[in-house]
Amino acid sequence: MNDLITRTLNRIDEHHNPDLPLDGDLTLPFYDGLSLANLPGTVTQLLGAPAFGRPPLDRSLLESLGGPYKKVVFLLVDALGYNLLTDLMEKVPGLVWNELKEKGVFAPITSVCPSTTASALTTLWTGAAPACHGIIGYEMWAKEFGVIMNNILHSPAMARGDVGGLVRMGFNPHEFLNRPLLGTHLLENGIQPTAFIHYSIAHSGLSVMQMENVDLKPYVDEADLSISLADFLNGRAGERDYTYVYYSDVDTLMHRFSAGDERVGLQFTAFSDLFRRGFLDRLSPEVAQETILILAADHGSKLTMIDPHYDLANYPELKSYLVMSPTCEHRLTFFYTKPGKAEELRDYIERTWPGEFLLMDSQAALQAGLFGNGTIKEQAPDRVGDLIAVARGGAYFWWAPTINHMLGRHGGLSREEMLVPFLAVPLGK
């Protein structure tokens, strides 16, 4: 392990907040220089553009990269946690990322809290932590609409087969987020923002909300993505570009089989080979000279066995403490309690699942900076509930009215979920 990785891991491990007493394998997001929240500022710095959002990553990760560059290609591989990537790099020596890390910078950083796609990707497009942009979790109580919403589908959380249904309630994704966006900022400063996203989600509510003024390039599969990306950039030699690439198959397989399953490794290895052959090998020397590539992930994942012990349908007494269904994530759960019932709920959870969850007062955690520091969004206190249950080990809560089929999950604060890779390499080397 090189010195930069060791130093960075030590800093993350030693990062504490006296108002957030975590223990065991739980890891705090490092919003001040070693987290996803610092990547938009890193992108603008590498492009020589005016600052945006939080300050860039710590100088130790950026000082050797030089710049500015005319082009940044940001490859976001959903659920490619730092532990998963380093494990695959060790098992598959020919993986292109082994070669690239020797030419650039490679180190772990942290995700945000909750460590989940809707919150993390919104951070990458707003430069703000979840408490500040307000998209807190996969499912979220939206008091203004009187509904628990799915932050990916933009529909009521309990609706089956409904996508974008909140529009019927007057929901407008741009007005709901109401934040300055990275794409607009770059465009206003002479940099073309472009996003390559799978055609099935290219025009989803979440994409539309985050990517205003961004040129969307839907792709069909890995071969289409890699070749189209190279052709696009080769046709823009000398132009200033921010090109965002989102790839989600690792996350899809991880949820069903867990990150350690050979299907996940095989899929990412195949993707990496196509990315090398279709993009890296086809990029013209002229364009490569003006381009820096960043590889990162929104979160990692944790193996969680399917176990009725965690199915809240088997604990009807729990409902007597609550005013509505839990929200957020299976591994970082927000509970909304009846008046005067918070302590009784805490006692019930500790008796029923002893030692399996760290319980925190939601409002205290919000104020202490668990979800980010800065100006907290006005609606954030309503969105985090009264009591937070942070899963330890392989624990989780399941409350969906469907069969539990997930062996891999995220959203919590374990090292596996929180540590994500930052790999940055100038392609002209």
Side-chain angles (χ1 to χ4, degrees):
M1 188 180 297
N2 68 35
D3 289 343
L4 177 61
I5 292 174
T6 301
R7 291 196 308 269
T8 307
L9 276 174
N10 287 341
R11 289 185 62 192
I12 292 171
D13 289 341
E14 294 166 1
H15 178 54
H16 297 296
N17 181 332
D19 297 320
L20 294 168
L22 303 188
D23 54 16
D25 71 339
L26 302 183
T27 298
L28 276 175
F30 205 130
Y31 295 114
D32 294 323
L34 290 174
S35 82
L36 293 181
N38 306 107
L39 290 185
T42 298
V43 166
T44 53
Q45 177 173 302
L46 290 171
L47 285 167
F52 179 82
R54 297 192 64 79
L57 287 171
D58 189 84
R59 182 179 176 183
S60 62
L61 274 67
L62 303 181
E63 58 187 351
S64 66
L65 293 177
Y69 297 86
K70 288 188 176 180
K71 302 183 190 303
V72 169
V73 176
F74 187 106
L75 172 58
L76 193 288
V77 180
D78 199 317
L80 185 71
Y82 175 79
N83 289 1
L84 173 58
L85 178 58
T86 53
D87 182 59
L88 291 174
M89 290 166 76
E90 182 176 342
K91 290 178 178 177
V92 188
L95 210 59
V96 66
W97 312 108
N98 281 312
E99 175 186 332
L100 291 176
K101 76 173 184 178
E102 300 303 323
K103 301 178 181 180
V105 170
F106 180 57
I109 59 175
T110 74
S111 183
V112 296
C113 181
S115 54
T116 194
T117 299
S119 299
L121 296 193
T122 305
T123 288
L124 292 177
W125 286 101
T126 63
C132 306
H133 62 59
I135 306 302
I136 309 177
Y138 177 66
E139 295 179 355
M140 183 179 76
W141 168 238
K143 184 178 180 180
E144 53 269 60
F145 296 105
V147 68
I148 298 174
M149 65 180 288
N150 182 304
N151 270 324
I152 298 288
L153 302 178
H154 286 176
S155 64
M158 291 299 181
R160 299 296 126 201
D162 185 20
V163 177
L166 291 182
V167 172
R168 295 190 294 271
M169 299 180 181
F171 174 83
N172 181 306
H174 300 303
E175 293 177 359
F176 186 76
L177 187 57
N178 193 27
R179 292 282 311 188
L181 295 171
L182 178 61
T184 301
H185 174 80
L186 293 173
L187 193 63
E188 290 174 346
N189 286 281
I191 298 166
Q192 173 61 50
T194 304
F196 283 76
I197 303 179
H198 194 268
Y199 75 92
S200 63
I201 59 171
H203 300 285
S204 69
L206 188 64
S207 298
V208 168
M209 183 171 73
Q210 297 167 344
M211 301 181 197
E212 189 171 358
N213 292 317
V214 176
D215 184 17
L216 294 178
K217 303 282 188 187
Y219 66 84
V220 174
D221 56 20
E222 296 89 342
D224 179 18
L225 163 62
S226 301
I227 292 176
S228 297
L229 179 61
D231 289 349
F232 170 74
L233 291 175
N234 284 339
R236 292 184 56 80
E239 303 290 337
R240 300 177 74 198
D241 285 286
Y242 173 62
T243 307
Y244 171 84
V245 180
Y246 175 74
Y247 181 69
S248 65
D249 282 5
V250 170
D251 182 74
T252 302
L253 289 168
M254 174 277 297
H255 278 303
R256 187 172 182 86
F257 301 105
S258 84
D261 188 86
E262 63 181 338
R263 296 171 182 84
V264 174
L266 183 60
Q267 182 65 38
F268 182 66
T269 299
F271 165 77
S272 300
D273 183 56
L274 284 169
F275 192 78
R276 176 207 287 268
R277 294 163 57 193
F279 172 62
L280 295 171
D281 291 351
R282 289 172 58 91
L283 200 63
S284 74
E286 178 186 2
V287 172
Q289 195 64 39
E290 58 191 23
T291 302
I292 185 168
L293 170 67
I294 296 174
L295 169 70
D298 47 352
H299 55 76
S301 66
K302 186 79 172 179
L303 173 64
T304 56
M305 304 308 294
I306 297 172
D307 189 338
H309 175 61
Y310 301 118
D311 189 340
L312 296 186
N314 296 322
Y315 303 89
E317 183 182 346
L318 185 72
K319 294 180 181 178
S320 67
Y321 305 109
L322 306 178
V323 296
M324 64 183 187
S325 172
T327 69
C328 196
E329 293 289 337
H330 301 145
R331 288 185 47 81
L332 195 133
T333 305
F334 299 160
F335 290 102
Y336 290 76
T337 61
K338 292 178 180 178
K341 293 290 186 178
E343 285 306 311
E344 293 182 42
L345 174 61
R346 181 187 290 265
D347 291 342
Y348 180 83
I349 293 174
E350 290 177 342
R351 288 196 318 270
T352 310
W353 297 276
E356 296 194 77
F357 296 91
L358 172 67
L359 303 178
M360 293 188 285
D361 176 88
S362 298
Q363 301 305 314
L366 177 66
Q367 294 301 321
L370 179 62
F371 304 101
N373 40 30
T375 302
I376 295 174
K377 192 174 181 72
E378 179 183 355
Q379 296 83 359
D382 289 325
R383 296 177 182 176
V384 299
D386 303 303
L387 185 70
I388 302 173
V390 183
R392 292 188 176 105
Y396 60 93
F397 284 128
W398 178 264
W399 59 86
T402 57
I403 296 174
N404 178 12
H405 63 274
M406 299 170 67
L407 284 174
R409 298 173 207 267
H410 54 82
L413 297 176
S414 71
R415 284 174 64 90
E416 293 95 329
E417 294 161 286
M418 285 299 297
L419 293 183
V420 297
F422 173 75
L423 193 161
V425 55
L427 296 182
K429 286 190 176 182

